[in-house]
Amino acid sequence: MLVIALCKGRFLAPSLDLLTEAGICFPEDIASSRKLIFNSEDHSFRAVLVKPADVPTYVEYGAADMGIAGRDVILESRADVLQPLDLKFGYCKIAVAGANGISEGAPPNTSRPTIRVATKYPRITMDYYNSRGIPVEIIPLSGSIELAPLIGLADRIVDLVETGRTLKDNGLEIVEVIAESSARLLINRAGYQTKRDEVLQLIQALEKVIR
Amino acid sequence: MKSYTQIPPGTQIVIGCAARRRRVLERTICSVFEGWSYEEIIPPIFDYYDVFVKGMGSGPEEQIYRFIDREGNILALRPEFTSLVAKTVATRLANSPKPIRLYYSGEVLRFEKPKGGRQREFAQIGIEHYGGSGKTADVEVLLIAVETFQRLGIQGFQINLGSVDFFGGIVDGMEFPADQITQLKDVLNVKDQSGLEALLEHLPLGDRRKKILRAVPHLTGDKAVIAEARELVKNPRSVDALDHLEEIYSIFERLDLAQHLTIDLGEIRGFDYYSGILFRAYVRDLGFEVASGGRYDGLPAAFGEDLPAVGFSFSVDRLEQIVTPTLEIPDVEAASIDVDDGFDKALQLRRSGKAVKLCL
């Protein structure tokens, strides 16, 4: 039996749709139930429901053989996992945004030697600014990131942008896109080797659905 | 000073039954190594920082615990054994008859995120074979790895065998900047198909080369993989690597051990020092590899003595998680002695080799 870690929240429905199309059906109450573990109808898979940011951890440790999570979450976690498939949903961008679109070379407030950036992705943000040699102070937040530049908590934000609507409604715009993100299939390195036939079967089934 | 209950992150303390289990595990493994005529080497716990950087290459060097001695030299706590052993073989043992077979067992230290039962200080046990090039030495170390698993009673183990020369031969002819090679390795390393496609769009490569790169992540399986790879590559370095792997596989087939061997040409990770075969061992239901090794012919030369070398190491902490049910830990039966009778009885029993436990 293979264990697959799925994200609670907005990724759950498309993940389940994809698996159903690949012939792996979980009970219908999976999205509404409070249970966290579900077996597929033919008992060849077990789904565990976890917070999106935790999916890479479950897979890296082999507690789950595989998982479905956004590329943003994988990059932020730095988990050492295989990522063979782009599942082609959950498209968005990880982007730097600010009140105006001036370039990163000139911090908006020159009275401070470092710019302040609010984000849910402190590691991605740090890597991005370090690689450009721009000193930065990261302010980790867990929600409503767009608020930070509006009330003077930060000069910039690094956040997930889907349509850009939220940014626009708050008078912000994208300064630069750091990376494109979409849902990915994650696989534990050791499990890929020791359960290869089962794993490859699933990859092939998913590939057929995506194409 | 913090409270004494506080321990530095990444350290661990092994006590009583767990410590006994570890020692039994280590002794069992060492007896396999000794059975193949390997002699123990006990290297120092620290050496000059440069020694390890030469060995591990750039990248992992930031995991090294460094410090400065009173004369201003930069020293480091050993993050692995191979550099230390290679340096010793290339210097102190330069005039010894070859081949040289050595094993080590001890703790190494790396500043990394503790995971998979491995802390920042963790135990490694492994062998090194110097002075033997070609398949005989390669097969020897692989057989020792197999026997170690068998002696520990571990059933579902699998050794993935590849070669850095296979991928090396493919990349050799590609003339683009190092950072693009790194990007290419990064996507292949996680078998990221869409990432690879995105890269291939921008790289000046012919269709044949692209076809090879698309195939690399999937070249894993039994002997058929070698035949499949032969269809793809023509460069001599890759072809030699395939010939070599095929020979090893055939020997394992003849010895009826091929069920433990998986050819894995899609694996391109590893320290910079690897130069030929490369292997990793997995056990079903453990999320991390338990052993890794390979050939590192260039390493002794870096320390002044040109010698072929091959070896591997087991992660003791990870092995412990799998062998717990299968490894027999003998209980020590001790006679309880009442001290009121004086110590004569206790001494008498000790002289006859019996264990005693004094009652207070």
Side-chain angles (χ1 to χ4, degrees):
Chain A
M1 182 186 273
L2 289 179
V3 180
I4 181 162
L6 301 176
C7 298
K8 289 193 264 192
R10 68 187 181 98
F11 265 34
L12 186 56
S15 301
L16 291 170
D17 290 348
L18 192 65
L19 290 169
T20 308
E21 278 187 72
I24 302 150
C25 304
F26 289 100
E28 290 200 354
D29 66 341
I30 187 165
S32 55
S33 166
R34 280 170 175 264
K35 284 203 309 181
L36 298 172
I37 300 179
F38 297 86
N39 287 341
S40 66
E41 282 166 6
D42 62 354
H43 287 266
S44 60
F45 283 88
R46 168 171 291 170
V48 295
L49 302 190
V50 303
K51 275 182 72 172
D54 295 338
V55 171
T57 310
Y58 277 83
V59 177
E60 184 179 27
Y61 276 74
D65 298 300
M66 48 182 60
I68 295 177
R71 180 158 183 255
D72 58 316
V73 167
I74 306 170
L75 286 174
E76 181 63 23
S77 75
R78 292 191 190 153
D80 184 23
V81 294
L82 299 176
Q83 303 156 41
L85 279 188
D86 181 347
L87 299 174
K88 316 248 172 171
F89 70 84
Y91 283 106
C92 51
K93 297 174 173 69
I94 307 162
V96 184
N100 46 34
I102 60 164
S103 79
E104 283 301 339
N109 185 346
T110 44
S111 67
R112 267 202 302 269
T114 58
I115 60 167
R116 292 206 300 218
V117 185
T119 185
K120 268 192 289 193
Y121 302 97
R123 283 173 163 178
I124 294 174
T125 305
M126 190 55 102
D127 287 349
Y128 169 82
Y129 280 100
N130 279 353
S131 70
R132 278 160 184 73
I134 301 171
V136 66
E137 177 182 341
I138 291 170
I139 303 172
L141 294 178
S142 48
S144 302
I145 315 293
E146 298 81 6
L147 184 60
L150 301 181
I151 58 164
L153 176 61
D155 306 306
R156 293 265 191 265
I157 63 169
V158 169
D159 203 11
L160 222 49
V161 182
E162 224 178 312
T163 59
R165 188 69 205 284
T166 319
L167 288 183
K168 210 173 159 201
D169 288 355
N170 288 293
L172 302 173
E173 61 183 43
I174 290 180
V175 177
E176 195 177 344
V177 173
I178 297 179
E180 304 280 342
S181 179
S182 61
R184 301 296 161 106
L185 179 71
L186 285 63
I187 300 181
N188 173 268
R189 280 193 184 275
Y192 181 88
Q193 301 300 344
T194 56
K195 302 172 185 176
R196 206 172 54 251
D197 292 345
E198 300 149 87
V199 170
L200 289 182
Q201 231 175 0
L202 177 79
I203 293 180
Q204 279 158 12
L206 287 173
E207 261 180 333
K208 265 190 203 147
V209 177
I210 298 163
R211 287 208 177 126
Chain B
M1 180 71 206
K2 286 178 178 165
S3 144
Y4 285 115
T5 52
Q6 170 101 32
I7 57 168
T11 60
Q12 64 177 349
I13 302 163
V14 189
I15 306 172
C17 176
R20 223 159 58 220
R21 189 174 63 228
R22 168 166 296 193
R23 294 305 182 207
V24 170
L25 179 69
E26 286 168 348
R27 275 195 292 270
T28 308
I29 298 173
C30 291
S31 75
V32 175
F33 296 165
E34 283 161 7
W36 288 85
S37 300
Y38 283 70
E39 286 212 84
E40 185 164 13
I41 173 170
I42 306 177
I45 196 120
F46 64 90
D47 202 321
Y48 293 113
Y49 175 67
D50 289 347
V51 172
F52 301 110
V53 175
K54 194 155 267 180
M56 294 172 84
S58 56
E61 95 266 5
E62 55 196 62
Q63 299 174 348
I64 301 178
Y65 283 94
R66 272 172 289 195
F67 58 102
I68 295 173
D69 72 6
R70 291 178 180 229
E71 285 146 2
N73 299 304
I74 305 177
L75 302 174
L77 297 174
R78 63 186 182 208
E80 47 107 36
F81 280 96
T82 298
S83 307
L84 280 176
V85 180
K87 175 188 128 167
T88 309
V89 168
T91 52
R92 281 270 297 275
L93 302 178
N95 297 320
S96 302
K98 308 294 178 299
I100 296 175
R101 295 181 172 91
L102 296 168
Y103 79 82
Y104 54 81
S105 171
E107 279 71 36
V108 296
L109 295 106
R110 286 184 207 166
F111 188 77
E112 61 181 8
K113 195 179 127 202
K115 66 185 170 196
R118 209 169 84 171
Q119 295 292 318
R120 286 178 178 159
E121 178 183 10
F122 56 94
Q124 279 194 333
I125 185 163
I127 57 166
E128 315 248 316
H129 184 293
Y130 290 89
S133 61
K135 65 171 189 282
T136 311
D138 287 354
V139 171
E140 176 177 320
V141 298
L142 284 166
L143 288 178
I144 295 169
V146 169
E147 188 186 323
T148 306
F149 280 116
Q150 289 171 335
R151 284 277 282 278
L152 293 172
I154 297 167
Q155 299 295 325
F157 69 91
Q158 168 184 333
I159 296 174
N160 278 43
L161 178 68
S163 171
V164 294
D165 291 323
F166 176 72
F167 186 69
I170 296 170
V171 191
D172 277 347
M174 296 182 183
E175 292 182 352
F176 34 83
D179 65 317
Q180 286 184 325
I181 299 270
T182 309
Q183 286 178 349
L184 194 58
K185 282 185 172 173
D186 284 348
V187 293
L188 291 173
N189 181 22
V190 296
K191 303 190 193 289
D192 176 359
Q193 289 180 16
S194 57
L196 178 63
E197 287 308 322
L199 261 181
L200 289 183
E201 256 180 51
H202 302 293
L203 292 177
L205 289 171
D207 285 345
R208 204 180 67 83
R209 279 266 170 75
K210 288 185 179 176
K211 190 179 163 200
I212 298 171
L213 289 173
R214 285 192 186 103
V216 163
H218 310 292
L219 290 173
T220 307
D222 59 16
K223 207 175 181 174
V225 167
I226 298 174
E228 202 182 317
R230 282 194 195 283
E231 297 293 314
L232 292 166
V233 295
K234 295 283 171 279
N235 78 77
R237 189 173 166 201
S238 300
V239 171
D240 284 350
L242 292 174
D243 290 343
H244 188 69
L245 292 175
E246 189 158 25
E247 277 186 86
I248 294 176
Y249 199 92
S250 303
I251 294 169
F252 268 67
E253 276 180 324
R254 203 170 48 70
L255 298 170
D256 206 14
L257 290 171
Q259 72 273 21
H260 296 301
L261 212 55
T262 297
I263 298 294
D264 186 358
L265 301 169
E267 184 63 81
I268 56 167
R269 293 175 297 158
F271 287 150
D272 287 353
Y273 56 52
Y274 286 118
S275 61
I277 62 158
L278 186 70
F279 62 92
R280 292 166 195 276
Y282 301 95
V283 176
R284 203 175 156 95
D285 291 324
L286 190 76
F288 296 89
E289 68 198 34
V290 288
S292 66
R295 181 163 279 286
Y296 34 91
D297 290 348
L299 189 58
F303 294 113
E305 184 76 10
D306 202 0
L307 269 181
V310 61
F312 68 79
S313 77
F314 275 96
S315 166
V316 176
D317 305 80
R318 288 178 184 164
L319 274 179
E320 270 176 353
Q321 298 170 44
I322 358 168
V323 297
T324 309
T326 54
L327 201 66
E328 223 171 282
I329 314 294
D331 271 322
V332 185
E333 296 267 345
S336 292
I337 307 291
D338 206 331
V339 183
D340 289 346
D341 299 347
F343 292 89
D344 310 64
K345 186 78 194 293
L347 279 186
Q348 198 186 340
L349 283 168
R350 289 301 305 132
R351 282 183 191 126
S352 64
K354 300 254 166 40
V356 297
K357 187 186 248 175
L358 302 185
C359 300
L360 298 177

